[in-house]
Amino acid sequence: VSATAPLLQKWFAGSGHRQAQDPYFLYAASNAGSMIGLLAYPTLIEPNLPLTLQSRAWAAGYALLCGLIAACAALYWRARALVAPTPPMSHRAADGPNAPTRTRWVALAFVPSSLLLSVTAYLSTDVSPVPLMWVAPLALYLLTFILVFARLPRAIHQTMNYLLPATILAQAYVVFTEHAGTNYPMGFLVAVHLQVFFVAAMVCHGELARTRPSPEFLTEFYFWMSLGGVMGGVFNALVAPAMFHSMFEYPLGLALACMLSPPLFARRVPRLPHWARLQTHRERLARNVAFDLIVPLIVGLASATIFFRWPPEASAWPVIAVVAMCAATASNPVRLGLSVAAIFWAGAWYDDVVDHLVYRERSFYGVLQVQSDARERFYNLNHGRIRHGKQRRSDDPDLRDVPLLYYYPTGPIGQVFQAWPGKARRQPVAVVGLGVGSLAAYGQSEQEFTFFEIDPAVERIARESGYFKYLTDSRADCRVVLGDARLSLEHQPNYHFGLMVVDAFSGDAIPVHLLTREAIELYFRKLTNDGIVAFHISNRFLDLAPVLGNAARELGLVGLDQNEATRSPAEWQLGKEVSHWVVLARQRSDLEWLAGDPDWRPLAARPELPVWTDDYTSLWGVAHFGPAESLSSSR
């Protein structure tokens, strides 16, 4: 489907149309269609059509597309017969783009592609874990292509070029002061990062549009541009996790965008003889290379010195000084880009120290960090702004092994484990989502706990890092099964577990396939006749209780719901977080031991919402933006 855009543009270039000499405006139309499809799918198509009907509609649309392309082919061949022979290509067209030009095309496509993934990951983990957050950066990415290939005035591209250093340095100020404790509204932070991404993509894509070749080399131009986009995705998905322990590809992408931008101020070169110009060029190149390396090095070291000598927590002026130093290099793209990378490196180094970072590991699923609190009482496992687990630092197992955060003994899941009649029989327990293994603290001797975890890095931190002891201290026999939980559960024996805890809903990363009717049927096939399932559904932006309520009603199950609203000051000091849990069972008698607790209420359904199935899910019906609840803990 993607290959049709350059194909049709190539045909149009040979059609004899009055605009055939510059067919690139059709690329703007192509991206406009992509943007409409992007926005229409989650808002119109997904909420109203099941997957089977979507598939049929897509197949019909594809057949229509093939018919229209065939009609275009017929018109193209007819036009070729009527149009006069093409005159010989100019010298410029015959020579074609050279190697530096091709390399620059690849680089200009690489940077926005990499930034798209970096911004999306950063916003969805470090700023605002809102469902469908990925739509906004991708929509802006397509919008930049629409604008730059729509024959906009050159002044707009020049304006974006001037805005690039200003927006990046403003973003650096916001990021550093926010890490130092300034509380910016979530919407403001999202807007800052999206604005920087938009300007950087406009500059890079604007340079692509400005340097586009004549139609004779249209398909080659799109090949190199597509190659750069692919390389950007491969870099973020495969190379960056192996090279960096943090998301350094984000500031690196901003630095590369600066380096690829045109110089802000063009210098007039005096007219000299050829030999003199050559000698002057060599001297200037050597001098520029030296300054391009020395100046950013000085900026980075000075930034680190300022941050550590005068911490930003006390005043904003250190950040202002650092940004001002970097701004002084704005007239030189290479120097500016390296200086941007240097100050972000200095800021990241400072953050690691003040945040008491003791361990960091990066995997395909993101960056996991173990931090010690300022008073060195706890270890915390964080993924961006989402806390996956917490344990007290103590040599006394009785203090160390109290489950904290959302698993506190007085919380909903603590009540389940303490009141569960099956505990006396020591039935096996299944837990979807490992975190730091907090629930293993509820294990009894001769009891089996099976954790299903998708990220191997999480298991290494929970079991081997030495910072968390829940798994090693547990009285139960704890084992971890790596892989997608639903696929792994298929291989477990039926009617085996007495209790299943589904705790895999992390921020915006809602694995909807674990909440569908078919998934819940699978859970109950693996449970004993009186077994129950507990779902951890704490989320600031989604109300998942009606999803479970609708599924329970359709499957003939019963459920209870507890959404904690408060915690005592003493519980807060001891490390408790409020949480939202739902439990399901086959019959009401299986939950009698909880039904008498007034904190547990009957699970309500919402008949107006369709039941989630493997064929249909939609987040729009359950989205809300109410008071901030604690985010769920583990994948």
Side-chain angles (χ1 to χ4, degrees):
V1 172
S2 299
T4 59
L7 173 68
L8 292 174
Q9 290 175 61
K10 185 67 174 178
W11 287 353
F12 182 76
S15 65
H17 192 274
R18 64 180 181 275
Q19 299 186 45
Q21 294 300 315
D22 186 14
Y24 290 96
F25 71 93
L26 291 176
Y27 193 59
S30 172
N31 281 278
S34 298
M35 188 173 178
I36 292 171
L38 168 70
L39 299 178
Y41 185 81
T43 57
L44 298 176
I45 299 174
E46 186 182 43
N48 296 299
L49 293 178
L51 288 178
T52 50
L53 288 181
Q54 291 179 35
S55 178
R56 293 171 186 170
W58 192 92
Y62 189 73
L64 176 62
L65 173 66
C66 292
L68 293 174
I69 291 176
C72 289
L75 291 173
Y76 169 67
W77 288 108
R78 181 182 177 185
R80 281 178 60 91
L82 298 175
V83 174
T86 304
M89 290 187 294
S90 65
H91 177 72
R92 174 177 174 273
D95 290 343
N98 55 25
T101 300
R102 296 186 183 101
T103 303
R104 183 170 172 80
W105 287 343
V106 171
L108 289 169
F110 171 93
V111 171
S113 175
S114 174
L115 278 176
L116 169 65
L117 299 179
S118 300
V119 171
T120 303
Y122 186 81
L123 290 180
S124 60
T125 56
D126 282 30
V127 175
S128 173
V130 178
L132 299 176
M133 174 58 76
W134 58 270
V135 171
L138 184 54
L140 290 178
Y141 180 79
L142 296 173
L143 179 61
T144 60
F145 275 122
I146 296 170
L147 294 176
V148 300
F149 283 98
R151 300 173 179 171
L152 290 179
R154 184 179 178 84
I156 293 181
H157 180 54
Q158 294 173 338
T159 301
M160 290 294 170
N161 192 34
Y162 280 102
L163 285 176
L164 181 61
T167 55
I168 290 178
L169 294 176
Q171 180 203 42
Y173 175 84
V174 170
V175 168
F176 291 151
T177 53
E178 194 246 345
H179 286 180
T182 303
N183 292 319
Y184 294 105
M186 181 187 68
F188 173 77
L189 292 174
V190 171
V192 166
H193 289 277
L194 290 181
Q195 174 185 260
V196 171
F197 167 66
F198 176 74
V199 173
M202 281 290 292
V203 170
C204 293
H205 290 161
E207 282 293 291
L208 280 172
R210 187 181 66 83
T211 59
R212 63 189 184 272
S214 59
E216 289 86 351
F217 301 98
L218 179 146
T219 51
E220 181 185 359
F221 171 70
Y222 283 127
F223 169 78
W224 294 114
M225 189 168 69
S226 300
L227 178 63
V230 170
M231 290 175 63
V234 170
F235 176 76
N236 278 55
L238 301 178
V239 179
M243 290 180 61
F244 309 127
H245 290 296
S246 63
M247 288 184 58
F248 192 69
E249 64 268 24
Y250 186 9
L252 180 61
L254 296 176
L256 291 174
C258 292
M259 296 170 71
L260 290 170
S261 62
L264 294 181
F265 307 104
R267 293 183 177 180
R268 295 188 62 182
V269 179
R271 302 187 65 177
L272 297 171
H274 175 74
W275 63 269
R277 289 201 306 270
L278 185 60
Q279 182 67 22
T280 303
H281 175 73
R282 289 173 178 170
E283 294 174 354
R284 185 183 299 114
L285 181 62
R287 185 169 60 251
N288 286 347
V289 169
F291 275 99
D292 289 345
L293 297 176
I294 293 173
V295 171
L297 180 61
I298 294 174
V299 169
L301 294 176
S303 301
T305 303
I306 291 174
F307 284 147
F308 282 97
R309 182 66 180 84
W310 298 278
E313 297 94 277
S315 172
W317 82 261
V319 179
I320 296 174
V322 167
V323 170
M325 279 193 304
C326 193
T329 67
S331 61
N332 185 301
V334 174
R335 210 166 294 168
L336 172 64
L338 293 177
S339 297
V340 166
I343 67 166
F344 274 105
W345 166 80
W349 182 21
Y350 175 77
D351 286 340
D352 288 349
V353 174
V354 299
D355 289 342
H356 304 280
L357 183 70
V358 296
Y359 181 85
R360 177 190 284 135
E361 183 170 353
R362 182 171 182 176
S363 69
F364 175 81
Y365 300 98
V367 179
L368 296 167
Q369 299 184 124
V370 179
Q371 295 173 331
S372 173
D373 68 308
R375 298 171 61 183
E376 297 187 348
R377 296 183 304 160
F378 303 99
Y379 283 125
N380 300 290
L381 175 62
N382 296 329
H383 176 221
R385 295 197 174 197
I386 302 169
R387 185 163 294 170
H388 286 238
K390 183 175 188 175
Q391 187 168 25
R392 180 181 292 276
R393 298 176 60 174
S394 174
D395 294 329
D396 184 356
D398 291 336
L399 292 176
R400 183 176 65 207
D401 294 335
V402 175
L404 305 180
L405 296 179
Y406 328 97
Y407 317 104
Y408 202 74
T410 60
I413 194 61
Q415 298 168 16
V416 169
F417 272 100
Q418 292 173 8
W420 177 39
K423 188 173 74 169
R425 298 192 295 273
R426 292 176 171 80
Q427 292 178 313
V429 175
V431 182
V432 177
L434 174 61
V436 298
S438 303
L439 292 178
Y442 291 110
Q444 301 295 313
S445 58
E446 300 181 5
Q447 189 178 28
E448 175 189 296
F449 268 60
T450 304
F451 292 87
F452 298 88
E453 173 59 46
I454 198 170
D455 190 350
V458 172
E459 182 191 10
R460 285 193 294 271
I461 293 174
R463 190 186 290 277
E464 302 172 7
S465 67
Y467 300 109
F468 302 101
K469 307 288 187 179
Y470 287 119
L471 291 180
T472 55
D473 289 351
S474 178
R475 289 170 290 180
D477 177 21
C478 297
R479 68 188 184 102
V480 178
V481 178
L482 293 175
D484 180 84
R486 186 165 165 185
L487 297 177
S488 300
L489 278 169
E490 291 280 5
H491 302 291
Q492 301 299 312
N494 292 337
Y495 308 107
H496 178 66
F497 299 105
L499 170 64
M500 185 176 298
V501 181
V502 182
D503 179 34
F505 313 126
S506 174
D508 74 324
I510 304 299
V512 295
H513 71 294
L514 298 180
L515 283 175
T516 63
R517 179 185 61 201
E518 293 82 355
I520 296 174
E521 288 176 330
L522 170 65
Y523 303 152
F524 278 93
R525 284 202 305 272
K526 304 303 174 181
L527 289 173
T528 58
N529 290 329
D530 59 349
I532 65 170
V533 186
F535 294 87
H536 184 194
I537 59 171
S538 304
N539 198 284
R540 287 186 294 180
F541 308 106
L542 296 176
D543 181 14
L544 298 173
V547 174
L548 295 171
N550 288 354
R553 183 186 60 179
E554 178 157 315
L555 296 173
L557 305 173
V558 295
L560 296 175
D561 179 10
Q562 182 178 165
N563 188 4
E564 282 188 300
T566 61
R567 57 183 172 176
S568 68
E571 290 175 331
W572 178 78
Q573 289 288 340
L574 293 173
K576 179 184 177 180
E577 293 283 353
V578 296
S579 56
H580 189 181
W581 291 80
V582 166
V583 293
L584 298 181
R586 289 186 177 90
Q587 49 195 1
R588 194 166 302 278
S589 60
D590 295 334
L591 294 177
E592 285 181 350
W593 43 279
L594 281 180
D597 189 332
D599 292 332
W600 288 95
R601 301 178 180 180
L603 179 63
R606 287 177 58 184
E608 73 275 12
L609 293 179
V611 175
W612 282 15
T613 67
D614 288 348
D615 193 47
Y616 172 87
T617 57
S618 175
L619 297 179
W620 286 107
V622 295
H624 74 91
F625 296 91
E629 300 175 10
S630 61
L631 292 177
S632 56
S633 64
S634 58
R635 305 185 78 105

